[in-house]
Amino acid sequence: MTATDDKTIVKEYFNTTGFDRWRRIYGITNDVNKVQLDIRNGHQQTVDTVIGWLQADGNLSEISICDAGCGVGSLSIPLAQAGARVYASDLSEMMVAEAKDKARAELGDLVKNLTLTVQDLETLSDRYHTVICLDVLIHYPQEQVEQMISHLCSLAQTRIILSFAPKTFALSLLKKVGSFFPGASKATRAYLHPASTVIKILEKNGFSVQRQAMTKTRFYFSRLIEATRK
């Protein structure tokens, strides 16, 4: 399967059956099963870690942030609320529409801090102080990851923050037996990436790793890396 095919499948999935599933996971509804609730909690831990890192720097109101693959705005909305200028995008029209509804309801006058667009990672342009891409690289095969991360690096003036499902023996085994990503049938492939590979790509693009974290729940595994320009 080619990268183009993967992207088409992902886009169609998140505009149809996948949208309803992941809206429940990322939302606050009680209409979730134990697995979905576990994934929700894991994703929120990753989001909270990123927000904590940015708040600790004490300059949120002074910087621009690109949230690449924003979903329903789980990260974009609180960052805009904290005063950052956020440019968020997702390839799913339905995800972006949901994010816009949430932003109008939650941000009030601060909605001016958030720009939401339907766009895939490959076509993102402009430059931002910080580029963030959470839980998106799982949709990109290994042979496409260097190109994708390099493109995101080209958008970042100062810092890039990535999260991805790490490729380890244990997680590879879980994925192989079908336990890593729950559900009877899934319309998207899930790709794991070695942390060492991601770090090498960042360094090749002139970045140096500053902070790392790992979120691990029963069904959610995500390695988080922050890197800044050397």
Side-chain angles (χ1 to χ4, degrees):
M1 181 177 293
T2 66
T4 300
D5 290 336
D6 276 330
K7 185 172 71 173
T8 300
I9 290 172
V10 169
K11 183 175 182 179
E12 291 176 351
Y13 173 69
F14 281 105
N15 276 323
T16 53
T17 57
F19 170 71
D20 182 62
R21 172 185 291 182
W22 289 97
R23 180 176 60 173
R24 290 200 305 272
I25 290 174
Y26 292 149
I28 59 174
T29 176
N30 292 323
D31 184 25
V32 289
N33 59 39
K34 291 182 179 180
V35 171
Q36 291 170 332
L37 181 60
D38 180 86
I39 295 172
R40 176 193 291 178
N41 292 336
H43 178 74
Q44 189 59 50
Q45 288 178 40
T46 296
V47 169
D48 289 344
T49 298
V50 171
I51 293 173
W53 285 355
L54 299 182
Q55 288 179 330
D57 293 341
N59 64 343
L60 265 178
S61 63
E62 303 169 11
I63 66 174
S64 60
I65 296 174
C66 172
D67 183 7
C70 65
V72 296
S74 303
L75 177 67
S76 299
I77 292 173
L79 289 180
Q81 199 163 36
R85 302 186 310 280
V86 183
Y87 302 84
S89 62
D90 198 281
L91 58 71
S92 167
E93 293 92 341
M94 294 186 72
M95 286 286 189
V96 171
E98 179 77 5
K100 287 181 177 180
D101 288 342
K102 289 179 62 178
R104 284 190 290 267
E106 298 178 22
L107 288 178
D109 291 341
L110 292 176
V111 73
K112 64 180 183 295
N113 289 343
L114 177 59
T115 300
L116 283 156
T117 63
V118 178
Q119 201 169 1
D120 59 42
L121 269 63
E122 293 92 333
T123 61
L124 291 176
S125 59
D126 295 330
R127 299 268 285 171
Y128 310 89
H129 178 279
T130 296
V131 172
I132 304 174
C133 186
L134 300 186
D135 296 347
V136 173
L137 296 178
I138 197 170
H139 300 301
Y140 288 86
Q142 187 63 51
E143 60 270 19
Q144 296 295 321
V145 162
E146 180 167 0
Q147 179 182 356
M148 185 52 53
I149 294 177
S150 296
H151 176 61
L152 293 174
C153 286
S154 73
L155 309 177
Q157 295 172 327
T158 302
R159 170 174 54 196
I160 185 168
I161 298 175
L162 303 172
S163 75
F164 55 95
K167 187 173 185 179
T168 65
F169 175 78
L171 296 188
S172 296
L173 182 61
L174 282 173
K175 180 175 181 288
K176 185 175 182 180
V177 300
S179 300
F180 185 81
F181 294 98
S185 64
K186 297 171 287 294
T188 60
R189 291 190 177 191
Y191 298 98
L192 312 182
H193 303 292
S196 59
T197 298
V198 174
I199 291 172
K200 286 179 181 178
I201 296 170
L202 291 170
E203 291 176 341
K204 183 178 179 180
N205 283 275
F207 285 80
S208 177
V209 173
Q210 300 300 320
R211 290 181 279 207
Q212 296 190 58
M214 178 72 192
T215 302
K216 181 179 179 181
T217 65
R218 187 176 179 184
F219 296 105
Y220 177 93
F221 303 85
S222 184
R223 170 75 69 182
L224 188 63
I225 294 178
E226 175 201 58
T228 56
R229 282 201 177 276
K230 297 177 183 178

